[in-house]
Amino acid sequence: DGGITQSPKYLFRKEGQNVTLSCEQNLNHDAMYWYRQDPGQGLRLIYYSQIVNDFQKGDIAEGYSVSREKKESFPLTVTSAQKNPTAFYLCASSMVGSGTDTQYFGPGTRLTVL
Amino acid sequence: GEDVEQSLFLSVREGDSSVINCTYTDSSSTYLYWYKQEPGAGLQLLTYIFSNMDMKQDQRLTVLLNKKDKHLSLRIADTQTGDSAIYFCAESIMDSSYKLIFGSGTRLLVRP
């Protein structure tokens, strides 16, 4: 059953702690993305990766870090430097060079800082 | 600059048609997308249209693109209560980043 999985679904963190959100895909997609969604707003791009061992900052990368050691995995770390980390985080993936560059999304992780 | 705008809210009666509108600013857009988000869930791809097309129909969904006015619309025929959700318009930018620029979403409420 192909798709994108994110874990955990809900995550609680104390202020000052780093936390890592998981994103895995078995669609054999080259590119993966992390977005942040705040209530009543659209999605904002945090980081993206088009190939293993390479990634680029998106529009709101400050306070976040990523790695891309495997094609199917793109974990996001929310560091203590992120001033307002409470949000809904969405991971997506797409095939590079397919023409449409259509992005498919995971179910999301809701992060709450206590 | 890149910007995508949508109206915030739309309410329709069950069985009527819904039309959700979107405007975008980047004339180099290649594809334009419509996604659906139900409460607490990820985004589900509904349909997309290539920028050199005027219209695309897929079952109850009709996408219209007016490239001159940079206006995109999604029409849902025979709207059902299960169509209640937030609908996002997004454009892909013709550069090397494969980025999508999203609107802030239109909340569709279908009344019985």
Side-chain angles (χ1 to χ4, degrees), chain A residues 58-105:
Chain A
D59 300 317
I60 55 164
E62 186 175 349
Y64 299 97
S65 66
V66 294
S67 63
R68 186 87 186 276
E69 297 176 3
K70 298 186 296 183
K71 187 175 184 178
E72 57 270 21
S73 178
F74 191 41
L76 173 74
T77 297
V78 184
T79 75
S80 56
Q82 169 49 236
K83 296 285 186 285
N84 184 19
T86 294
F88 190 49
Y89 290 87
L90 288 158
C91 177
S93 69
S94 69
M95 184 69 75
V96 171
S98 65
T100 65
D101 308 326
T102 301
Q103 293 185 20
Y104 297 89
F105 284 81

Side-chain angles (χ1 to χ4, degrees), chain A residues 1 35 43-44 54 65 67 70 81 90 113:
Chain A
D1 198 16
Y35 292 90
L43 279 65
R44 293 183 290 168
D54 189 42
S65 66
S67 63
K70 298 186 296 183
L90 288 158
V113 174

